[in-house]
Amino acid sequence: MTLDDLRVFVAVCRAGNLSAVARELTCTQSAVSQHVKRLERETGVSLLERRPRGVVPTAAGRILYEAAAEGLAGLDVALRRIGDLVNGESGAVRIATGGTTVRHFMADAIVAFRRQYPRVSLEFRTETSGRRCFDALLSGELDLAWITIGDPVRGIEQRPVLDLPWVLAVRAGDPLADRPRIDPEQLDGVPLVRLPPHSVSGAHLDAAFAGLGVRAGSDTGVADWDTALLLAELGLGHAVVPALPGLPASQDAPLRFVPVPALPPFSVGWAVRRWDALPPLARAFAGMVAESRTEPTQTSATS
């Protein structure tokens, strides 16, 4: 029994004539009969009764007709809705982000996605940790999460998009602002504006400092990199931050970004439940973000 068998059977019951259905489907009457015969073999009963002017469903045929007609109508609606999702005519993409994600990583992709899929909504949800992102993905509340790539998580697939080097953000005029680079030992004992150690990127930086024997101080903690940059701009401390896309690169900018090449870069990217089961629209948005961020923003002491 196939969907085509049921569709043809429903059409025959409605038309009451095999020849009329054959003409509508541009096939032979024999082909129409074969669909009905397969259903009769499957059910073990006669489904149509021949009359002088055509055919009518038997008692068993009426039962199958009513169920099949209702089921096919619902299925057709579902297929149309799926087609709308695939073609970008409706739907939503649900994304978990951190505090700096949209500004630095997704702005260009959001504009491009909106132009291509104007009827699809983008729903952003800010999460405070990777663990919360993973829980939301596993519960089915989200399609995508932008994360700092870390250790494997059961039931989650992580896909790196961008490697971010580290820079020291200092105010213009600071003694360190005009250096071509910062060596880790120059940060020994320097008070830094820092992310919480339980964050993946914060833990990455702490481990890198420990591996290099650097004891960087910290008297100010923040929840995201943009806040760290603001405090550095206000002169409340130095900030070791990733070379985020979109950092100001003008001589007139209040901050200078000095590379710290000895610190190993870290990766950011997407987390999903399963890439092969990702909805087409979510896959399209993830691809647009990746395409817009193939290279990190270059920063230097003189930029």
Side-chain angles (χ1 to χ4, degrees):
M1 183 185 303
T2 67
L3 285 177
D4 283 343
D5 294 337
L6 292 172
R7 290 187 189 279
V8 170
F9 176 71
V10 168
V12 169
C13 290
R14 286 173 175 166
N17 189 289
L18 297 177
S19 298
V21 174
R23 288 193 298 271
E24 181 182 345
L25 299 178
T26 63
C27 64
T28 65
Q29 183 173 328
S30 175
V32 172
S33 296
Q34 289 301 316
H35 285 289
V36 177
K37 289 178 180 178
R38 273 197 294 270
L39 291 175
E40 290 179 331
R41 285 197 298 269
E42 183 73 21
T43 59
V45 295
S46 296
L47 298 174
L48 294 177
E49 179 183 342
R50 293 188 178 274
R51 297 282 178 88
R53 294 187 177 181
V55 294
V56 295
T58 62
R62 285 193 296 272
I63 294 173
L64 181 61
Y65 165 72
E66 291 171 0
E70 182 178 353
L72 289 171
L75 181 60
D76 286 339
V77 170
L79 291 175
R80 284 196 298 271
R81 292 178 62 188
I82 291 172
D84 288 342
L85 290 175
V86 173
N87 297 324
E89 294 299 320
S90 66
V93 180
R94 304 164 302 165
I95 308 148
T97 68
T100 64
T101 300
V102 172
R103 175 192 298 272
H104 294 290
F105 299 101
M106 298 186 182
D108 294 340
I110 289 171
V111 173
F113 187 87
R114 178 64 61 216
R115 288 173 178 167
Q116 186 167 344
Y117 304 104
R119 298 183 182 180
V120 178
S121 64
L122 292 172
E123 299 176 2
F124 294 97
R125 177 166 139 184
T126 300
E127 296 290 359
T128 57
S129 69
R131 182 67 261 175
R132 291 178 64 88
C133 289
F134 299 146
D135 289 342
L137 287 170
L138 290 171
S139 67
E141 299 172 32
L142 298 171
D143 300 308
L144 297 159
W146 184 265
I147 62 165
T148 299
I149 303 298
D151 295 331
V153 177
R154 186 174 183 179
I156 296 292
E157 295 183 27
Q158 302 181 51
R159 179 166 295 187
V161 172
L162 193 64
D163 289 333
L164 297 175
W166 295 93
V167 295
L168 179 69
V170 297
R171 295 183 73 184
D174 187 279
L176 298 176
D178 293 327
R179 293 179 180 270
R181 56 181 284 167
I182 295 292
D183 294 321
E185 57 269 19
Q186 293 174 301
L187 298 175
D188 201 32
V190 174
L192 298 174
V193 179
R194 302 285 295 280
L195 280 188
H198 65 264
S199 67
V200 177
S201 53
H204 180 99
L205 184 59
D206 287 343
F209 278 144
L212 295 169
V214 175
R215 295 167 299 178
S218 177
D219 54 11
T220 305
V222 295
D224 60 77
W225 297 121
D226 278 347
T227 304
L229 292 172
L230 176 60
L231 295 183
E233 182 179 331
L234 295 174
L236 299 183
H238 300 74
V240 176
V241 300
L244 299 168
L247 291 180
S250 167
Q251 286 284 1
D252 299 327
L255 286 176
R256 298 289 185 270
F257 301 100
V258 188
V260 190
L263 294 176
F266 69 97
S267 297
V268 293
W270 291 115
V272 301
R273 292 188 301 279
R274 284 175 46 201
W275 282 102
D276 60 1
L278 197 62
L281 291 171
R283 186 184 301 274
F285 182 74
M288 288 180 180
V289 172
E291 289 171 8
S292 69
R293 295 303 172 198
T294 55
E295 295 293 337
T297 297
Q298 298 299 314
T299 59
S300 69
T302 59
S303 61

